[in-house]
Amino acid sequence: MELTPAAKKFILHWGEMGQAWGINRTMAQVHALLFVAPDSLDAEEISRLLDVSRSNVSTSLRELMTWGIVKRVHVIGDRRDRFEALKDVMETFRVIMAERKRREMDPTIALLEHCVEEAEGGDSRDDYTREQLEKMLDFTRMLTTWYSQIDRLPTPALRRIFTAGAKIARMFGAQAPQEANVN
Amino acid sequence: MELTPAAKKFILHWGEMGQAWGINRTMAQVHALLFVAPDSLDAEEISRLLDVSRSNVSTSLRELMTWGIVKRVHVIGDRRDRFEALKDVMETFRVIMAERKRREMDPTIALLEHCVEEAEGGDSRDDYTREQLEKMLDFTRMLTTWYSQIDRLPTPALRRIFTAGAKIARMFGAQAPQEANVN
DNA sequence: TATACTTTTCAGTAGTGACGGAAATTTCGG
DNA sequence: CCGAAATTTCCGTCACTACTGAAAAGTATA
């Protein structure tokens, strides 16, 4: 099996994107490859197709499995581990969001809470800083709360929300104090 | 002027976060500093407070200005340029989103369109890959469309949407074909 | 226009993280 | 239980990016 030109381009682009989002290139490429691959692949073949070392593939696969967007699968008559990616884009997106929330948002909230508390005891020079940190904390909390609410829904419902941007905009855009409701 | 402990912690954390999101540490730190600083700062002082070289600060400030989340300001009686960050968190968030959409989502859509088109001409081995790329394309388009709709709204409306996660979840979560309406 | 002050650019350096290869470990078939 | 196959781990190397210091360019004032 060889890579088609379309697959190649996608994989390279995904690698670049990964970097821009703080994910290492090979890892993103492995994910891209598994995402478009019709069948599960073994590490050896991934190594060959992407032209990276076997060990690098091993590391990337482990990371991807930690994230939960790649799974180890087995086929009878083959001793080698094979791997496949989540094939559902929305599902993949959700898993990544959940993980990033856990790794980044939650610790950020904890730190901001700590900083705000600390700044409360400080002298008046801290006042402005504290206000800003509070605003940042409120915002971060708002985002994560919104996310938690939305994340409870099954995929089809999520899809409905994301295709209803205009509707939502109309509903919430028209509620400013002195404005009349559009609907 | 010296940094308070709370400010220091926040700046360091923001630097880490930046890295996780593909933004260089110093740049994120400069932004964090300007965000919590009561007054505008000149490059020299930023350099001193963060203990990085003057030139590094210069580069970071230029980048931040390109992003549009830091502005050059002047005070009478001071020849030096001074800088201040957007102080509104939501506004900052919006600017960053807009920029990332422009830099990452739009090119991704273009590339996916190209790949899908190319895969259409290909032989049957491409079929599965093409399907996957189409799904990815649809999803990306859905997200950016949603974003564009939402982004048109003024900040207070946006805030309303984000505080109404539960409400939105109820509205869109209850429409699944065979499910009864929750409320 | 000259001079002092400020900012930017640039080229070299350093530091970090990705990567490859080999060795060690694990797994499975005989 | 042994040997082969597969996987993981580890450490040295490499590449890339961030960073610094110095030189150049720009700018305002006298």
Side-chain angles (χ1 to χ4, degrees):
Chain A
M1 178 220 177
E2 296 307 322
L3 291 176
T4 62
K8 253 181 208 157
K9 281 172 194 160
F10 173 66
I11 290 167
L12 291 174
H13 181 79
W14 214 238
E16 306 289 327
M17 282 301 93
Q19 287 198 291
W21 288 81
I23 289 157
N24 117 336
R25 199 177 62 240
T26 306
M27 192 176 142
Q29 287 183 351
V30 172
H31 175 253
L33 171 58
L34 291 173
F35 178 75
V36 298
D39 301 301
S40 60
L41 299 172
D42 63 71
E44 189 66 32
E45 191 151 27
I46 296 171
S47 168
R48 185 178 63 79
L49 288 169
L50 298 181
D51 194 24
V52 294
S53 76
R54 181 67 188 70
S55 62
N56 197 2
V57 170
S58 178
T59 311
S60 297
L61 285 170
R62 177 154 39 88
E63 263 294 285
L64 287 166
M65 287 190 290
T66 307
W67 276 83
I69 57 176
V70 163
K71 295 225 167 65
R72 205 190 295 265
V73 294
H74 290 108
V75 302
I76 40 173
D78 191 349
R79 274 181 58 183
R80 287 172 297 188
D81 290 349
R82 304 176 67 87
F83 301 88
E84 64 180 27
L86 281 188
K87 295 300 193 172
D88 185 277
V89 187
M90 177 72 90
E91 201 50 43
T92 306
F93 182 71
R94 295 176 78 145
V95 170
I96 293 174
M97 290 300 283
E99 195 63 17
R100 294 206 88 136
K101 171 181 181 296
R102 195 181 63 75
R103 295 188 192 190
E104 290 149 23
M105 301 299 266
D106 294 348
T108 296
I109 289 178
L111 177 116
L112 284 170
E113 284 169 345
H114 171 79
C115 287
V116 166
E117 197 179 346
E118 186 167 83
E120 269 163 10
D123 57 61
S124 65
R125 288 181 311 134
D126 266 1
D127 284 356
Y128 183 82
T129 297
R130 199 200 62 244
E131 280 170 33
Q132 285 299 95
L133 292 177
E134 272 168 3
K135 284 189 204 164
M136 182 65 79
L137 176 55
D138 289 346
F139 180 81
T140 312
R141 276 189 184 137
M142 186 182 74
L143 270 195
T144 56
T145 303
W146 184 81
Y147 163 78
S148 324
Q149 306 285 2
I150 295 302
D151 188 53
R152 292 208 189 99
L153 301 174
T155 292
L158 256 188
R159 184 161 259 115
R160 261 177 267 136
I161 289 180
F162 281 122
T163 47
K167 191 179 173 191
I168 294 177
R170 237 178 295 121
M171 286 173 41
F172 291 86
Q175 294 178 5
Q178 66 280 56
E179 282 178 85
N181 198 309
V182 170
N183 272 2
Chain B
M1 178 221 177
E2 296 306 322
L3 291 176
T4 62
K8 251 179 209 160
K9 281 172 196 161
F10 172 66
I11 289 168
L12 291 174
H13 181 80
W14 214 237
E16 304 290 327
M17 281 301 94
Q19 287 199 288
W21 289 82
I23 289 156
N24 116 335
R25 199 176 65 244
T26 306
M27 190 176 144
Q29 287 183 350
V30 171
H31 175 253
L33 171 59
L34 290 172
F35 178 75
V36 298
D39 301 302
S40 60
L41 299 172
D42 62 71
E44 188 67 33
E45 191 150 27
I46 296 171
S47 167
R48 186 178 63 79
L49 289 169
L50 298 181
D51 195 25
V52 294
S53 76
R54 180 66 186 70
S55 59
N56 199 2
V57 170
S58 178
T59 309
S60 297
L61 285 170
R62 177 152 40 89
E63 261 295 283
L64 287 166
M65 286 190 292
T66 306
W67 276 81
I69 57 176
V70 162
K71 293 227 167 65
R72 207 190 293 265
V73 294
H74 290 109
V75 301
I76 39 172
D78 192 348
R79 276 180 54 182
R80 288 171 300 188
D81 290 349
R82 302 176 70 87
F83 301 88
E84 65 180 27
L86 280 187
K87 294 301 192 171
D88 185 275
V89 188
M90 177 71 91
E91 200 53 41
T92 305
F93 182 71
R94 296 176 76 145
V95 171
I96 292 173
M97 290 300 282
E99 195 63 16
R100 293 205 89 137
K101 172 181 180 295
R102 195 181 64 75
R103 294 188 192 191
E104 290 149 22
M105 301 298 266
D106 294 348
T108 294
I109 289 178
L111 177 115
L112 285 171
E113 284 169 346
H114 171 80
C115 288
V116 167
E117 198 179 348
E118 186 166 82
E120 270 164 8
D123 59 61
S124 66
R125 288 182 313 133
D126 266 2
D127 283 356
Y128 184 83
T129 298
R130 200 200 61 243
E131 279 170 33
Q132 283 300 94
L133 292 177
E134 271 168 4
K135 284 190 205 161
M136 183 64 80
L137 177 56
D138 289 346
F139 180 80
T140 313
R141 277 189 183 139
M142 185 183 74
L143 271 195
T144 57
T145 303
W146 184 81
Y147 163 79
S148 323
Q149 307 286 3
I150 296 302
D151 188 53
R152 293 209 187 98
L153 301 174
T155 293
L158 255 188
R159 184 161 260 114
R160 261 176 267 135
I161 289 179
F162 281 121
T163 48
K167 192 179 171 191
I168 294 177
R170 237 177 296 120
M171 285 174 39
F172 290 87
Q175 294 176 4
Q178 66 280 60
E179 280 178 272
N181 198 308
V182 172
N183 270 2

